[in-house]
Amino acid sequence: MKSLAVGVASLMLASPATALTVDLTTSIKDTAGTIAYGLVKYYHGNTTGGIPGLLPGPYFWWEAGGMFGHLIDYWYYTGDATYNDITLQAMMHQINAPTGDYLPRNQSNAMGNDDQGFWAMTSMMAAEAAFPNPPSDTPQWLAGAQAVFNEYVVRWQEENGLCGGGLRWQVYSTLSGYDYKNSIANGCFFNIAARLARFTKNETYAEWATKIYEWESGIGLIDNETYAVYDGKYIFENNQTCGKIQLVQFSYNAGIWLAGTAAMYDATKKDIWETRVNGLLNYTQGMFLSQDGGHLWEPPCEQTSKGCDQNQVSFKGYIIRFLAYTAKTAPWTADTVSKIIAQAAKDAVASCIGPADAKYMGPDGTACGFTWLKGATYDGLAGVGPQMNALAAVFYNLQKSTKPPATSDDRGTSKGNPNAGSTMAQPMPEPRPIVTADRAGAALVTLLITAGIVGSSWFLMADVLD
């Protein structure tokens, strides 16, 4: 605890906006540490009464998975293990042991394939970073990603060719959005399959990655000429058809497909994947970098009157993460990516000048805003998403000193289970087994109820006797 207290005290001395020099390692690490500290102040899952792995409202479950992914890579790039323990605890609490498929029973009322996928990608990140492994008698990081992959395969096959295949947005047929097949759900499938192919050298994963990409591009969700990535298509059960393409374009959709193609290039060294990497990277630059200065932004919502919602304000952090992954697995892109991320870091820290208040419990003057289009301006939109965006923008500048993601034959230690997961398309979470503590608690409740009944009866009798 002494070292943490000293670290926090030093973090409070400098605002990210004044501390960062993007070509100086110590400056990057110190600034990232300040932002990470402010980010983790939003999390209470490691405190008494908290639930490990969950952020408080209004944040959704998937975003917590995204946050722990950032914290894993924060450790991998900086070497700062301050948050490893809470990350390990959170991941193991949400992995849904013993199945190990990131389908916890308390999230089934809003479980999307993309929600499950973000936790699975974080599990894959842990395997690729050689993050400290869980106890050997619990599900492992690599096995967690394989479990979700296997369940995706079952759901795809259950479609029986509707829309030519593809995953639906939601896992369960009772949920709103089950009639939508979108790029983020299928992007999670593709990204995980591609990275499993790279990590394990198992050809089955590569075959599925190819199949998913060809489906996505075949129905027009990736434009084969411009490489634009569109959001999705509604499906109509009554006549077994797909609707029109929903043309909205979000940065994390582009990023998740870009990183997957880079993983497939690294796994196969095939020209087709190099072409796709280049196409998606060029599209990303043209669509999500402003023409004046190359600032990352979210075109569908950032400059609209409505603004970006709770989910959308976190997308820039993911596109940065996926760009960094691309630079490490498709090395010819490194110079281009480094320039994008360096500019993003400068823009992000310029917004990290907000006060400590009801929306931000970190050190005063270190709250990060959302928009990076207005120079040294804090827009007041502090939250988990903007803080994650800024954290990613800073520490991913340590590209040159960081090794590529590990594989099973290069530094990877996580144990796999190719048969992990459920064989059901819509597995409903099973009730938690009753344990001794539950029985004791039930006995105590029964005793209290009995005592209450006896007590009430006594007072009633006393009234009658009076």
Side-chain angles (χ1 to χ4, degrees):
M1 292 303 293
K2 181 179 178 181
S3 60
L4 177 58
V6 171
V8 170
S10 64
L11 291 177
M12 296 172 70
L13 294 178
S15 166
T18 60
L20 179 64
T21 303
V22 293
D23 56 357
L24 186 61
T25 296
T26 54
S27 175
I28 294 170
K29 289 183 178 182
D30 288 346
T31 304
T34 300
I35 298 170
Y37 179 72
L39 171 62
V40 175
K41 293 294 283 185
Y42 287 100
Y43 177 65
H44 309 299
N46 60 323
T47 61
T48 302
I51 299 176
L54 297 190
L55 286 163
Y59 302 106
F60 297 106
W61 180 71
W62 81 273
E63 193 167 352
M67 183 186 78
F68 289 110
H70 283 311
L71 290 178
I72 287 171
D73 261 7
Y74 169 73
W75 164 75
Y76 185 60
Y77 276 72
T78 69
D80 180 4
T82 299
Y83 308 111
N84 282 12
D85 288 347
I86 64 169
T87 299
L88 177 62
Q89 179 196 43
M91 296 284 289
M92 294 314 299
H93 199 82
Q94 297 299 322
I95 201 170
N96 191 36
T99 309
D101 60 354
Y102 296 99
L103 274 182
R105 61 187 179 278
N106 62 348
Q107 298 298 325
S108 58
N109 64 337
M111 180 61 71
N113 278 303
D114 53 340
D115 302 323
Q116 186 185 22
F118 262 80
W119 281 91
M121 285 188 293
T122 295
S123 204
M124 194 71 228
M125 292 172 72
E128 292 169 334
F131 190 72
N133 290 313
S136 59
D137 60 346
T138 61
Q140 301 296 297
W141 308 134
L142 178 60
Q146 290 172 311
V148 176
F149 169 87
N150 288 337
E151 292 180 4
Y152 282 165
V153 169
V154 174
R155 291 173 203 151
W156 180 297
Q157 292 171 338
E158 285 261 320
E159 291 299 290
N160 292 318
L162 177 57
C163 256
L167 292 181
R168 297 172 185 251
W169 182 17
Q170 302 298 322
V171 173
Y172 301 111
S173 59
T174 56
L175 299 179
S176 176
Y178 188 72
D179 60 347
Y180 193 55
K181 294 191 176 183
N182 60 2
S183 288
I184 193 58
N186 288 283
C188 288
F189 191 7
F190 171 66
N191 189 283
I192 292 165
R195 289 160 75 170
L196 284 171
R198 178 183 175 274
F199 191 95
T200 67
K201 309 299 188 291
N202 186 317
E203 188 62 28
T204 297
Y205 298 124
E207 290 171 357
W208 266 101
T210 301
K211 181 177 183 177
I212 301 160
Y213 187 96
E214 290 176 351
W215 173 83
E216 175 87 359
S217 61
I219 67 167
L221 291 182
I222 292 180
D223 188 295
N224 286 311
E225 294 184 4
T226 67
Y227 289 90
V229 183
Y230 302 114
D231 196 65
K233 283 189 173 187
Y234 286 97
I235 57 177
F236 303 99
E237 303 274 5
N238 58 342
N239 58 10
Q240 295 287 289
T241 61
C242 282
K244 295 179 180 179
I245 296 173
Q246 302 300 303
L247 296 174
V248 64
Q249 299 164 64
F250 290 109
S251 63
Y252 79 151
N253 280 336
I256 203 168
W257 289 90
L258 172 60
T261 58
M264 282 300 290
Y265 170 79
D266 200 34
T268 68
K269 299 299 189 289
K270 290 183 178 179
D271 292 344
I272 186 61
W273 294 111
E274 181 178 354
T275 299
R276 289 165 175 167
V277 169
N278 290 335
L280 285 163
L281 181 56
N282 289 337
Y283 160 68
T284 297
Q285 291 177 275
M287 184 67 188
F288 302 107
L289 298 180
S290 68
Q291 293 183 354
D292 56 338
H295 311 292
L296 268 174
W297 71 303
E298 202 63 42
C301 57
E302 186 162 339
Q303 291 192 303
T304 65
S305 58
K306 184 179 179 181
C308 298
D309 67 22
Q310 184 65 58
N311 294 318
Q312 294 159 357
V313 296
S314 69
F315 289 175
K316 285 187 287 192
Y318 305 126
I319 183 66
I320 291 170
R321 176 196 296 179
F322 293 133
L323 283 165
Y325 186 93
T326 299
K328 302 308 290 186
T329 51
W332 73 90
T333 67
D335 287 344
T336 297
V337 168
S338 294
K339 291 175 183 176
I340 296 171
I341 296 178
Q343 183 62 53
K346 296 172 186 176
D347 294 337
V349 298
S351 78
C352 293
I353 55 177
D357 56 22
K359 292 194 298 183
Y360 179 70
M361 305 303 291
D364 194 50
T366 66
C368 299
F370 168 60
T371 189
W372 300 344
L373 298 176
K374 300 178 180 179
T377 302
Y378 170 66
D379 59 12
L381 299 178
V384 170
Q387 203 75 14
M388 287 197 300
N389 297 345
L391 177 62
V394 173
F395 77 74
Y396 281 119
N397 279 281
L398 296 170
Q399 287 282 315
K400 292 181 180 178
S401 59
T402 304
K403 292 182 178 181
T407 65
S408 59
D409 55 11
D410 176 24
R411 295 170 287 117
T413 61
S414 186
K415 302 298 183 184
N417 177 4
N419 299 313
S422 173
T423 57
M424 299 173 61
Q426 300 182 46
M428 292 305 296
E430 297 181 4
R432 181 170 61 87
I434 296 175
V435 296
T436 302
D438 296 322
R439 295 189 181 97
L444 177 60
V445 170
T446 302
L447 179 62
L448 292 173
I449 292 172
T450 303
I453 293 171
V454 171
S456 299
S457 300
W458 168 255
F459 283 116
L460 288 171
M461 290 298 296
D463 287 340
V464 172
L465 292 173
D466 286 342

